[in-house]
Amino acid sequence: MAPRKFFVGGNWKCVNTRPLQSRFESDNGTGEDVKKIVTVLNEAEVPSEDVVEVVVSPPYVFLAQVKGLLRLDFAVAAQNCWVRKGGAFTGEIRRLLLRQNHCVVIFEFVADKVAYALSQGLKAIACIGETLEQRESGTTMDVVAAQTKAIAEKISDWTNVVLAYEPVWAIGTGKVATPAQAQEVHDGLRKWLHSNVSPAVAESTRIIYGGSVNGANSKELAAQPDVDGFLVGGASLKPEFVDIIKAATVKSSSA
Ligand SMILES: O=C(CO)COP(=O)(O)O
């Protein structure tokens, strides 16, 4: 079976549409950052598409702009997708409006949204992970297995799913999972897929890590055998995102 291609997603989350007005406003970046990071990405020398799949996920208001400007070897994803054809659901975006996008990043109602996105021909990045309380009480594996089970019960084909392990306590906190912690959960998830879905799905499904990944910690995490890439928040709006993409070479050089 072909090795799993390294996957790096940049989740731009809630980007401000205007420059920050004071040092007390801190978030994932501004509309200006969006333009800058697209330029940085377009000019970056990164491993080829055979080695790494790169997807960036801007807020809806920037989707068309980014799609129009971004290099063609990087894909653009929506951050969410409504679970039905339409209807009066304030703030939800229906699949039809996402026609041109490859993937969806999903945080809530994970199983329903994954199933619906796949049924509509989208690829899905499905996010799972435990809270700090759950980790401290020793239930991490039970929690992520239950979240994965909920997805597995609703889908029959995993080809277009990337599973993102995002411990809640590591998201946007600067507290990254250690490589050993990430590997332990990814290995557990792969074993879960092996026993509960199929050995082939376990072997081929990319399990990526998200939570305070940056240019400095990405290489060591990427070196873990079951870490198949990253879903990056804050650092995906910075030039160091290019270093995170380049962490893919850790895999290709050890293959
Ligand atoms: O939630 C994340 C990506 O979806 C991770 O965010 P950070 O990289 O900012 O911790």
Side-chain angles (χ1 to χ4, degrees):
M1 190 177 285
R4 296 179 294 272
K5 193 195 288 188
F6 205 74
F7 183 103
V8 179
N11 184 9
W12 294 356
K13 297 192 187 173
C14 175
V15 171
N16 260 348
T17 51
R18 65 189 175 101
L20 300 182
Q21 302 298 303
S22 82
R23 70 191 170 86
F24 299 109
E25 280 188 65
S26 88
D27 71 357
N28 292 306
T30 67
E32 284 304 304
D33 289 331
V34 167
K35 281 187 219 148
K36 279 192 215 145
I37 193 67
V38 169
T39 306
V40 168
L41 294 180
N42 285 349
E43 289 171 0
E45 279 188 34
V46 295
S48 76
E49 279 177 275
D50 302 338
V51 173
V52 61
E53 180 176 351
V54 180
V55 177
V56 299
S57 170
Y60 293 113
V61 288
F62 297 114
L63 268 176
Q65 181 193 356
V66 172
K67 186 114 183 121
L69 295 177
L70 191 67
R71 56 196 292 168
L72 294 175
D73 54 340
F74 290 4
V76 178
Q79 291 185 5
N80 209 338
C81 174
W82 184 228
V83 291
R84 295 187 207 159
K85 259 192 171 162
F89 299 100
T90 306
E92 299 289 355
I93 305 281
R94 61 186 288 211
R95 157 71 182 118
L96 210 56
L97 297 175
L98 305 174
R99 187 165 22 205
Q100 294 170 337
N101 300 295
H102 297 248
C103 309
V104 179
V105 176
I106 293 158
F107 290 95
E108 289 169 334
F109 318 119
V110 174
D112 284 340
K113 287 188 176 180
V114 169
Y116 185 74
L118 295 181
S119 75
Q120 299 299 304
L122 288 172
K123 298 177 182 175
I125 304 169
C127 303
I128 58 170
E130 83 286 4
T131 63
L132 185 59
E133 208 179 24
Q134 290 164 333
R135 174 159 283 270
E136 286 176 346
S137 66
T139 57
T140 296
M141 221 35 245
D142 297 337
V143 170
V144 296
Q147 292 165 332
T148 310
K149 180 167 182 275
I151 298 169
E153 282 170 352
K154 298 225 161 150
I155 68 171
S156 54
D157 184 353
W158 283 74
T159 316
N160 288 327
V161 179
V162 171
L163 199 56
Y165 168 53
E166 295 212 322
V168 176
W169 49 270
I171 297 175
T173 59
K175 283 188 204 150
V176 64
T178 63
Q181 283 173 324
Q183 170 58 24
E184 185 184 20
V185 176
H186 287 221
D187 174 56
L189 286 169
R190 207 174 300 288
K191 288 190 172 125
W192 190 92
L193 290 173
H194 188 281
S195 317
N196 296 282
V197 182
S198 75
V201 165
E203 185 59 32
S204 60
T205 301
R206 270 104 37 107
I207 306 176
I208 64 174
Y209 169 78
S212 299
V213 175
N214 61 33
N217 60 31
S218 53
K219 263 196 177 169
E220 210 187 333
L221 284 161
Q224 303 305 309
D226 289 291
V227 173
D228 303 319
F230 301 116
L231 188 56
V232 187
S236 69
L237 281 159
K238 299 181 186 158
E240 69 187 276
F241 188 57
V242 175
D243 298 322
I244 299 171
I245 297 170
K246 286 182 180 165
T249 57
V250 170
K251 284 290 199 259
S252 52
S253 58
S254 67

